[in-house]
């Protein structure tokens, strides 16, 4: 029978602050890129906290971590919660660590109340959720669902120079494990995460009941024109890769206005030779397209590729478009969605059902077992920004909902 337990909010708050000291940036926020020294330190701390709770720590070949509280019937499929500890280069304290540390807090609360675990409960830290150093994003959970091979992952080169392989970076931080997590029997997965958008705050809602995640297409464009003198080259004789890149960035915004629910982002752009008085020879840039509707996302993508090629042809610039990520939208499990909703409402929290605009490990886990997510509000809807913040009361609320959902899943 489910007991109504509540978490130790100050202990969770302290863990979030302690984790936030790793990779801390001078002006606030964190930089903890996947497989960096900072990621290693964060992993070490998580492992220590798991060992303090006498959890079995499993690590697989791509560095995914599971802290497991073994139940008395370990043959039963396990309940899993968690998220990621890597961050973007200008990240906040909550994107990822909230899910990992709230899971740990829920588990510790169950332990302290003498909960009789029949089914095991595991806390996950998935490798490279952000995709900010190695693409694709959600890499570790994609590997667990067998959507990418170990070889492909090991060969991935870091986006930023000095370019290193995933394999060498993983070996350097000492998290190349031997445990096979892919074949573990997972009963269910639930992830607590900040919304990273403005909806919950604007509507003054405490708990987001997440029904689905947008599809994500990441494309890298490589334009090649002709470097030339900025002063002496007549405009009609130019093959200006920089001009075409700017036109495509503008095109991406136009396309986002042509398809319902479409978002488009040009987040990275590198000019070469990147000199004030030289017509750009080459530009490498990325376009991130997302939509909850797969057909519209596909149409937006095709429209971008076709029109980008036309713009390049007109300027006599060559264009190579390389698809880095194509993840379809994912619907979550109705049963777990309902558990999130009724646990939140029974605790007296306001709720609203919603999609996730951001990608999450849950969208990969949904292919393996019944999955859903719990959102809590982001102040001013800000995330992937050092100013990311979520109020402690909302963190406490979300973690108490997570605890209730986990208990129900453990009892199933
Ligand atoms: O890109 C995303 O939405 C996630 O933060 N990796
Ligand atoms: Mn995240
Ligand atoms: Mn993120």
């Amino acid at each position: 029978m489910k007991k109504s337990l509540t978490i130790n909010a100050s202990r969770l708050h302290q863990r979030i602050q302690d984790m936030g000291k790793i990779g801390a940036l001078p002006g606030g926020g964190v930089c903890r890129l996947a497989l960096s020294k900072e990621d290693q330190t964060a992993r070490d701390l998580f492992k220590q906290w798991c060992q303090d709770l006498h959890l079995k720590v499993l690590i697989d070949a791509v560095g995914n971590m599971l802290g497991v509280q073994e139940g008395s019937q370990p043959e039963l499929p396990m309940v899993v919660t968690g998220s990621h500890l890597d961050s973007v280069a200008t990240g906040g304290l909550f994107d990822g660590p909230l899910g990992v540390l709230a899971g740990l807090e829920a588990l510790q609360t169950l332990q302290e109340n003498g909960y009789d675990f029949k089914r095991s409960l595991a806390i996950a830290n998935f490798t490279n959720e952000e995709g900010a150093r190695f693409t694709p994003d959600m890499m570790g959970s994609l590997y667990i669902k067998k959507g990418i091979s170990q070889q492909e992952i090991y060969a991935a080169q870091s986006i930023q120079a000095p370019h290193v392989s995933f394999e060498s970076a993983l070996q350097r931080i000492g998290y190349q494990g031997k445990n096979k997590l892919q074949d573990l029997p997972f009963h269910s997965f639930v992830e607590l995460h900040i919304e990273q958008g403005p909806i919950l705050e604007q509507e003054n809602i405490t708990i987001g009941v997440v029904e689905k995640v947008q599809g994500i297409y990441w494309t890298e464009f490589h334009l090649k024109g002709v470097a030339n003198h900025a002063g002496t080259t007549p405009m009609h004789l130019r093959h200006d890769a920089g001009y075409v890149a700017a036109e495509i960035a503008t095109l991406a915004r136009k396309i986002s206005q042509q398809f319902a629910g479409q978002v488009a982002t040009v987040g990275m752009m590198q000019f070469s030779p990147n000199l004030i008085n030289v017509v750009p020879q080459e530009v490498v840039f990325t376009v991130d397209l997302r939509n909850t509707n797969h057909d519209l996302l596909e149409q937006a993508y095709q429209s971008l590729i076709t029109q980008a090629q036309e713009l390049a042809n007109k300027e006599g610039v060559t264009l190579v478009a390389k698809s880095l990520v194509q993840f379809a939208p994912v619907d979550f499990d109705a049963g777990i969605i309902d558990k999130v909703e009724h646990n939140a409402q029974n605790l007296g929290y306001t709720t609203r059902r919603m999609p996730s605009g951001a990608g999450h490990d849950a969208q990969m886990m949904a292919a393996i077992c019944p999955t859903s997510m719990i959102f809590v509000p982001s102040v001013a809807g800000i995330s992937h920004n050092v100013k990311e913040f979520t109020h402690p009361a909302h963190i406490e609320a979300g973690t108490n909902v997570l605890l209730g959902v986990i208990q129900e899943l453990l009892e199933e």
Side-chain angles (χ1 to χ4, degrees), residues 216-228:
I216 306 176
Y217 282 19
W218 283 0
T219 308
E220 179 187 81
F221 287 88
H222 195 158
L223 300 176
K224 272 198 183 144
V226 178
N228 220 323

Side-chain angles (χ1 to χ4, degrees), residues 12 53 55 157 214-215 227 233 286 292 296 317 333 346 360 372:
L12 171 56
L53 297 180
L55 306 183
Q157 292 295 310
Q214 288 199 103
T233 314
T286 57
T292 50
L296 291 180
V317 164
D333 174 81
N346 294 346
H360 298 288
S372 183

Side-chain angles (χ1 to χ4, degrees), residues 33-52:
L33 292 174
L35 310 186
S36 62
K37 186 89 193 80
E38 295 78 16
D39 185 19
Q40 176 186 356
T41 312
R43 289 162 172 272
D44 293 346
L45 181 57
F46 172 58
K47 189 164 69 172
Q48 185 55 57
W49 282 336
C50 287
Q51 288 165 341
D52 294 347

Side-chain angles (χ1 to χ4, degrees), residues 368-410:
I368 302 171
C369 61
T371 294
S372 183
M373 296 184 76
I374 304 164
F375 274 174
V376 286
S378 292
V379 170
I382 287 178
S383 183
H384 282 191
N385 178 318
V386 297
K387 298 212 179 324
E388 174 183 285
F389 186 70
T390 291
H391 291 297
H394 288 152
I395 287 175
E396 182 172 5
T399 308
N400 277 321
V401 174
L402 178 69
L403 175 58
V405 172
I406 286 173
Q407 279 182 269
E408 287 189 15
L409 293 170
L410 286 169

